[in-house]
């Protein structure tokens, strides 16, 4: 059966700083809400307060960690304690690269609060897929000097457009049978005294792609890595490491991060429809150069979101 996708897809930028927090930016934390599901991608310190400020609530279905630098996971400890205090009973899965098992064990040992839920560890590697209802999260390898992963949230294909006029021509009366066809079910109708079957393919157009979000975490550019580029191409939103502006390109290479211009190059090469610059170093009082550097390399929409910004991802035309 084909599922009709119509869920909202929101990205909350709860923390956009690189390495160190600043008065304006918290360490890395993205909250993506797809329909009724809420996923955290990285969980830097202060994540709970950002969730309160953004009024997202604390209903988290899963946590995905990109790598084991502290600015990407320190917020998990407090979040787990708060969820226990609030009476959570559902398990909390934490996904990440190798060492996620040791990390979850540490979370369990540090906590002295009696929890009514389990925290479970799930090791991912390049190409690993985590299925959800109507979409998946797929991991890909990043280039940051330690084992690290980026993530692709991609929806299932949507049904093609329903041809109402054609359905009526085939004898399908407007009403519940229209809905059954759109859900992928065959229906039977009586036409000229003869019962015939009408299949979804008779009245539905070609399937349409769902939406796709790519979050690179901390990394050097990846578009020249064939096995990685194939997974992250064609994103509706590419959230890319842009720790430095282009004046610090040597520094970016030394510490295995990316510049804003390199993020723009990646967005162009990967056919992204929008680029969000992420993980901004605390050395910058102004990010005007970041935007300028990215736009020199990429003709699409470039944003450098402030903390607590929220972006709705629309369906493609």
């Amino acid at each position: 059966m084909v599922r009709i996708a119509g869920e909202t897809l929101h990205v909350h930028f709860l923390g956009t700083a690189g390495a160190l927090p600043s008065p304006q930016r918290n360490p890395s934390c993205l909250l993506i809400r797809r329909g009724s599901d809420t996923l955290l991608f990285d969980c830097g310190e202060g994540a709970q307060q950002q969730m309160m400020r953004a009024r997202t609530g604390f209903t988290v279905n899963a946590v995905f960690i990109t790598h084991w630098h502290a600015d990407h996971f320190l917020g998990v400890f407090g979040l787990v304690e708060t969820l226990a205090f609030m009476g959570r009973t559902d398990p909390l899965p934490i996904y990440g690269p190798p060492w996620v098992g040791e990390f979850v064990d540490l979370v369990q040992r540090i906590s002295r609060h009696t929890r009514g839920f389990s925290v479970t560890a799930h090791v991912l590697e390049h190409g690993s897929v985590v299925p959800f209802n109507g979409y998946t999260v797929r991991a890909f390898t990043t280039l940051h000097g330690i084992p690290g992963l980026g993530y692709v949230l991609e929806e299932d294909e949507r049904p093609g457009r329903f041809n109402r006029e054609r359905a009526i021509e085939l004898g399908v009366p407007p009403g519940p049978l229209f809905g059954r066809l759109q859900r992928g079910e065959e229906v039977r109708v009586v036409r000229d005294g003869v019962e015939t079957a009408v299949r979804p393919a008779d009245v539905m157009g070609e399937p349409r792609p769902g939406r796709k979000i790519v979050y690179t975490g901390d990394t050097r550019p990846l578009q020249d890595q064939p096995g990685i580029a194939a997974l992250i191409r064609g994103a509706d939103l590419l959230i890319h490491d842009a720790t430095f502006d282009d004046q610090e390109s040597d520094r970016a290479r030394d510490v295995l991060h990316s510049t804003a211009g390199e993020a723009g190059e990646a967005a162009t090469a990967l056919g992204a429809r929008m680029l969000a610059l992420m993980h901004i170093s605390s050395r910058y009082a102004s990010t005007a150069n970041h935007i300028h550097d990215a736009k020199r390399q990429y003709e699409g929409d470039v944003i450098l979101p402030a903390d607590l910004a929220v972006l709705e991802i629309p369906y493609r035309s």
Side-chain angles (χ1 to χ4, degrees):
M1 180 182 295
V2 178
R3 180 180 291 106
I4 297 177
E7 290 82 356
T8 57
L9 183 60
H10 291 138
V11 181
H12 295 262
F13 294 89
L14 300 184
T16 60
L20 301 177
S22 73
Q24 292 78 33
R25 298 183 185 274
N26 268 39
S28 295
C29 185
L30 293 174
L31 184 150
I32 298 182
R33 179 158 287 155
R34 197 268 181 184
S36 61
D37 289 353
T38 300
L39 309 181
L40 278 184
F41 292 85
D42 286 332
C43 187
E45 60 186 281
Q48 293 181 83
Q49 288 183 311
Q50 296 295 78
M51 294 167 78
M52 294 175 188
R53 293 178 180 119
R55 299 184 178 182
T56 62
F58 289 101
T59 303
V60 176
N61 298 91
V63 178
F64 292 84
I65 303 296
T66 57
H67 64 289
W68 303 111
H69 283 158
D71 57 313
H72 293 259
F73 67 78
L74 282 179
V76 172
F77 297 99
L79 177 63
V80 168
E81 292 296 293
T82 296
L83 294 177
F85 182 79
M86 295 177 70
R88 182 187 178 108
T89 57
D90 292 336
L92 177 66
I94 298 181
Y95 299 89
W99 198 72
V100 67
E102 290 87 341
F103 174 73
V104 167
D105 182 60
L106 185 61
V107 172
Q108 308 270 29
R109 288 190 287 115
I110 285 178
S111 174
R112 298 300 179 184
H113 195 286
T114 300
R115 289 193 311 273
F117 67 97
S118 61
V119 182
T120 59
H122 305 268
V123 179
L124 302 180
E125 58 187 18
H126 178 74
S128 295
V129 177
V130 182
F132 291 91
N133 185 21
Y135 66 100
T136 60
V137 174
R138 186 184 299 270
F140 59 90
T141 299
T142 55
L143 304 176
H144 191 48
I146 65 171
L149 298 170
Y151 295 104
V152 180
L153 186 153
E154 186 168 16
E155 292 180 321
D156 299 345
E157 282 189 331
R158 295 182 292 154
R161 297 190 184 279
F162 178 65
N163 189 331
R164 185 178 188 275
E165 291 73 21
R166 179 58 178 160
I168 293 173
E169 287 177 7
L170 294 174
V172 182
L177 295 185
F178 278 14
R180 289 177 57 187
L181 286 165
Q182 292 177 71
R183 290 191 295 272
E185 301 177 35
E186 180 182 287
V187 302
R188 303 192 71 83
V189 298
V190 176
R191 187 181 181 193
D192 298 329
V194 178
E195 186 179 77
T196 59
V198 178
R199 300 166 300 166
D202 297 330
V203 294
M204 302 295 293
E206 290 296 316
R208 295 170 289 171
R211 294 163 291 186
K212 182 175 183 177
I213 299 171
V214 173
Y215 172 45
T216 68
D218 295 5
T219 188
R220 291 293 295 151
L222 300 166
Q223 65 269 23
D224 294 330
Q225 308 292 319
I228 301 173
L231 297 181
I232 63 178
R233 186 171 286 114
D236 294 280
L237 175 65
L238 173 62
I239 306 169
H240 200 288
D241 181 342
T243 305
F244 303 103
D245 63 23
D246 284 4
Q247 295 179 36
E248 296 287 341
S249 58
D250 290 343
R251 175 68 174 160
R253 282 191 294 270
D254 289 344
V255 295
L256 297 174
H257 280 290
S258 299
T259 70
E262 289 173 329
E265 291 176 357
T268 295
L270 296 169
R273 289 168 174 79
M274 178 179 287
L275 171 64
L277 305 178
M278 179 80 172
H279 201 264
I280 308 304
S281 171
S282 59
R283 70 181 61 194
Y284 296 104
S286 169
T287 55
N289 283 347
H290 285 70
I291 296 291
H292 176 265
D293 294 342
K295 286 187 172 181
R296 284 195 299 111
Q297 306 295 338
Y298 174 63
E299 295 182 352
D301 291 334
V302 177
I303 61 172
L304 198 159
D307 277 18
L308 305 183
V310 59
L311 183 64
E312 180 172 4
I313 311 300
Y315 288 106
R316 303 174 201 177
S317 300

